Amino acid sequence: MSINFPQAEEDVVRFWREVDAFQTQLKLTEGRQRFTFYDGPPFATGLPHYGHLLTSTIKDIIPRYWSMKGYHVVRRFGWDTHGLPIEYEIDKTLGVSGRDAVLKMGIEKYNAECRAIVMRYASEWRQTIERLGRWIDFDNDYKSMDVKFMESCWWVFKQLFDKDQVYRAYQIMPFSTALCTPLSHMESKQNEKTTQDPALLVAFPLKGRESSLIIYTTTPWTLPSNLLIACHPDFEYVEILDEASGKQYILLEGGLSMLYKDKKKAKYKILGKLKGKEMIGWKYEPLFRYFTDQFSDCFQVIGADYVEADEGTGLVHQAPAFGQEDYDAAVAAGFIHPKRLPPCPVDDKGLFTAEVTDYAGQHVKSADKAIVKDLKETGRLLLATQVSHVDKFCWRSDTQLIRKAVSSWFIRVTNSVPDMLSNLESTTWVPSFVKEKRFANWVANAHDWNIARNRYWGTPLPLWVSEDYEEVVCVGSIAELKELSGYTGTLDDIHRDKIDGITIPSRKGKGQLRRVDEVFDCWFESGSMPYASNHYPFENSEGFQGGNFPADFIAEGLDQTRGWFYTLSVLGNKLFGVSPFKAVIVNGLVLAEDGKKMSKSLKNYPDPKNVIDQYGSDALRLYLINSPVVRGEPLRFKESGVKEIIAKVLLPLWNSYRFFYEQTVLFKKTTGDDFVAQFPETTNVMDRWILADCQSMLQFIDQEMAGYRLYTVVPRLLQVIDNLTNWYIRFNRKRLKGAAGLEVRDTKAALNTLCQVLFTLVRALAPFTPFLTEHIYRLLRPYLGEALSEFSNTKSVHFLAFPTAQESLFDEVIQRKVSAMQKVIQLARTARERKTIPLKTPLLTIVVIADAQQLSDIEELQTYVKEELNVRDIVLTNDEECYGIHLEARVDWPILGKKLKRDAQVVRKALPSLTQEQLRQYLKEKRMSIEGIELEGSDLSIVRVVAKDNPNMVKDDGVQYEPAFSDDMIVLLDTASHPELIDDGIARDVMTRVQKMRKTAGLVPTDDVRMLYSVVSNPDDIQFETLVSSRKTQFENTVRGPLEPFSPTEEAAETVILQEEHTVSNLTLLLRLCRL
């Protein structure tokens, strides 16, 4: 009964389609309490990658879980269809750039091109998401380009406008010259990286003095727009004579290291010192003459407190149109004001305008070289180097941003920061550090939000203005636009090409009001998603708050702390005074195996489709969510990790079901009855343990899922699978096979228990591994009988309720006892492995040294210990000294040394003289005084060791103990070979080989065959026939029948299925399987 996981998953997908599984689940929970989930919309202009698959898995697990908990969880897929990503693709495809090119082409045609590509990969997304096992509604999805969505965005903006939360201002903004638009501060910080720029020292000769001011800049392209130089009024500057050139310069003394590579060898004299405030008002010679007529009162020194002493020369060149601090300083000094704006000779493409005649038409970054060359020729350039620094790049085009003065529309954010931080406190973030540090810091330092973009494919700003901007009308709906404008046509599309021509008559005698050119930042649209996706308030307004808002849960990647999480929060707090979500899971980045970003060009990651086709979605899902990435940390994706999930989790779970199935077939063969599960109480200790373990798991899952801690839930689920496969089934194989020599009632009890655990597991695992659990459940269903009577629809495991912990099955005492037994077995296995003694080799004795409670627990389960470890005798004792076990104090000296300093040497000398009683006391109290020096907690680590030259480890009677330690238990395993155990070892080895032959022959447990042997070679004269006959019952119970002798010279009376020669401890046997 083998399984191909990907193929089984494809079968499950077909089954879900047949029963319309997702919609059926929604109908089953209709009318129940809602659990609200918002899906952050992706762009459909690219194919889904591992980051999308990760977030989709998280977004599937949580809703599935709460659905199974009885909540109604609507899940609609969303698409981000507007904005820079789409326009940038079109600009590249059509080879257009800038406003003039688009207007020449026509906005209607341009937008039509954008509309044509936004859903380019929608079908691939749908196929991938379905194949991943995520249940979400694609048919009732939402798109930000839909007129209903856009109209709700207008409503959101109108609410803010009416509350005086929108204003127009002239500000210096991050600007993408590739996209010809300003960006918000939030967007500008989404792509920061190291780059190289020119680093110049430039001289500005003073008028009326022989000295020059020295400024430092990494943006030569801003020098043609220089108006002022800023100093700090309180700093002390030096005036020096450079002896090599005979020229005099003024700068901070700390800046001399920039002028001279080696200050000690530099030849200069300090002529005097002066405060910055003394220089305010000094005039200097302009570097360029482009703006000297218009700004003739400028070109002088001003004071500015933002000037820093540890950066540059302490003198900062001021180009007010290209730096916010420059602009603010110029305004404060009285040189710039709203009616006298600074020169801004750079267009939206980043090209110098005709005002800068020498560099007109050149991109500012390209012009850097020409400017440096010209400065050198005029003698004003003192030093030119390159500097590596972190700068901001366009998140879409990956081109370096500039800062540029723009008139734009802003939403006030700074006045909401206290409320946003206060409401943030009531939200749950996983991991919590993202909320407490990253997001809270981002909110605390928030700027007002520039929501306007000089673009075309987006929701138009619903602002109609007069030419002088003194009359501004904000429209909040299509109906309002028609009413104000008198427009009578249909408006089933409100993109720019459809509404830019609509005008509104002025109420102030200013003629016709025209719509402003800008469209919304697409982040405004995604932040409006809770309202716009429901066409609120035009539809679905009844019960919106408390039903659709706020969300109970959202999830996205770490990068969205400055993106979607932030814009949702701004608008939710502005509109309703609350956080728009209650809980959020923030995942880290999925990187390539080499730690680099996944790159198509580098081909440094496996194709997600191929991984799913080869290993299945369950394996990929489990690999992703059982990794550091769900704790907000990065994951280096390894295909081998996905493969490992199959070997360590999915196959063991499947094999548990397969074993159950095989034993039900065997049960029918031996009893004549079909097995149908009943779940009465059981008295068997292992039955009670595994059932209790399941209840503890369910209680833990409920607790942790309420806190959205997937990273703790998955390991606990996997622990139960391990307990089921490697402990319960392993220890109860004979009972389950009916070969333990007990009544049929015990076999049925064991099968009932295994069935109950499998039924619990497939429901508990269903949100995490939806395919395999569905596959196993459908196979398990015929055996469940009355257990399914409580459910209204039993076609799918996902239609069932999530299992609840049953108080009657909790048993902490049993769990404690089995835990002690497991510890003994694990320690003894470690001792065997160290001595390379296989489990099939019987050993004489195991000594367990522990406290009284653990010894009592182990005594009750010692039969399991002996059988599992293949030992004859077990000795239980708490007498450590009898076996030469001593306590020893160990110290992490680097850590303790930092704490104690000189006293550490005193402790070091005293440690060897500590008595066993003192060490035992420290173990209990975690406190000790050594020569007046107090030690506590982890200062000392007390460990148990075997005393050197311990006579108890190797005894005269041949005993050789191999120790294994845990914190509260010691195991001594006698690893010596004892003659009286040799026959037991041979018998066990032969049984193992017969079982392997049955497997090789493709036999199942219900296949009865004759098992025959013939001795081929027996140099040690082992009495094999006596060995077999004296263990007849053991052979029959283990290999389902007697092992009988045969003569190889006689012709076989039965059909031989398989015949093999085996050597066991110098004994060579011919083993034969024959049909009955």
Side-chain angles (χ1 to χ4, degrees), residues 158 190 212 310 744 748 900 974:
K158 169 85 168 174
Q190 290 185 335
S212 294
D310 56 355
V744 172
K748 197 165 186 178
L900 300 182
D974 179 6

Side-chain angles (χ1 to χ4, degrees), residues 148-161 458-464 474-482 491 493-495 499 515 520 524 528 532 538:
K148 290 184 177 182
F149 191 101
M150 296 169 71
E151 185 178 28
S152 287
C153 289
W154 278 9
W155 174 84
V156 170
F157 187 71
K158 169 85 168 174
Q159 301 307 299
L160 303 180
F161 185 88
T459 300
L461 261 65
L463 294 172
W464 272 256
C474 182
V475 173
S477 68
I478 293 171
E480 186 180 4
L481 176 58
K482 286 187 171 184
L491 275 180
D493 184 354
I494 53 174
H495 283 93
I499 67 165
R515 200 193 68 79
F520 279 120
F524 180 86
S528 300
F538 309 103

